[in-house]
Amino acid sequence: MFRSVARSAAGKNLLRRGYATAVPERKVAVLGAAGGIGQPLALLMKLNPLVSQLALYDIANTPGVAADVSHINSRSEVAGYVGEEQLGKALEGCDVVIIPAGVPRKPGMTRDDLFNINAGIVKGLCSAIAKYCPNALVNMISNPVNSTVPIAAEVFKKAGTYDEKKLFGVTTLDVVRAKTFYAGKAKVNVADVNVPVVGGHAGITILPLFSQATPKANLPEEDIKALTKRTQEGGTEVVEAKAGKGSATLSMAYAGAIFADACLKGLNGVPDVVECSFVQSTVTELPFFASKVRLGKNGVEEVLGLGPLSEYEKEGLESLKPELKSSIEKGIKFANQS
């Protein structure tokens, strides 16, 4: 994505000379754009040459963020929207909606502690999406993702707009961490590393499949266990390092931008775009599950299977299921209250 930004000026010259096909117009909204994740995510989406319109929404402070980002000399036109009365305008005509809205984690706070606040925020935003841009791809970042994705699905079902191919829980940060930690331990170039991460997006529900990691490094089992634990607790590592003054905002914004870029490429017909995401799934008996997903012009083109697992990963898979099941059910129950 970011290499393509550097090439965008050259691309414009090619377009003028008739050597390339025009990039489609795409509108992207960031809901929660004035927050700790939202601001850097807004910056990264402004740098993406696939975005032609960037709508930044929050309950306060968005005009300043929009003005700041709008001065960057990249393709997209930026507009800021503030307050519920402007939410519809922000969403109209969107191809992709990214939702980092909500309160961040603080020391000692689990993702479940965030639930009541963030669940209510997500429910309201998804009601607006159902009304103003029912065909948009929805990228859910707001935690706890294991519950907020099922909440969104229930809201869309009630509105009659639910399409399981267009709702994604963004678990890309787990993949980003797994790649980084694996590359460090295996002493390989991180740019060449690929590690699928499956399950959910909290604690033990995060299951990196290091047995499938490439390049192959044949790390001992104690290293694999340590890498798995560090990937699962990556968010806590950042919260503690920031000593109560924030959570994983910058790395999450990067991961969110990577996944949104993949969605845009899929919409534009780029072949073989595959990312891990928490989606409606039949890969396990659970109704939602994160695994590799092939993205296309309608969102999810194919939910891919888990592939061969090591014994350690098989144990991890069975261990995560009860907790993930509980989180999914909690989200569904919340969505169906009143």
Side-chain angles (χ1 to χ4, degrees), residues 95-113:
D95 296 287
V96 177
V97 179
I98 314 170
I99 311 180
V103 299
R105 289 175 74 196
K106 293 174 183 172
M109 184 186 277
T110 68
R111 282 185 167 86
D112 277 345
D113 293 331

Side-chain angles (χ1 to χ4, degrees), residues 271-294:
D272 297 319
V273 179
V274 176
E275 292 287 341
C276 293
S277 183
F278 186 66
V279 296
Q280 183 172 310
S281 173
T282 56
V283 166
T284 70
E285 65 273 22
L286 300 175
F288 294 91
F289 198 81
S291 66
K292 286 194 210 173
V293 173
R294 181 173 286 108

Side-chain angles (χ1 to χ4, degrees), residues 199-216:
H201 184 57
I204 66 159
T205 71
I206 301 166
L207 183 62
L209 302 182
F210 288 114
S211 70
Q212 297 178 26
T214 54
K216 200 83 174 161

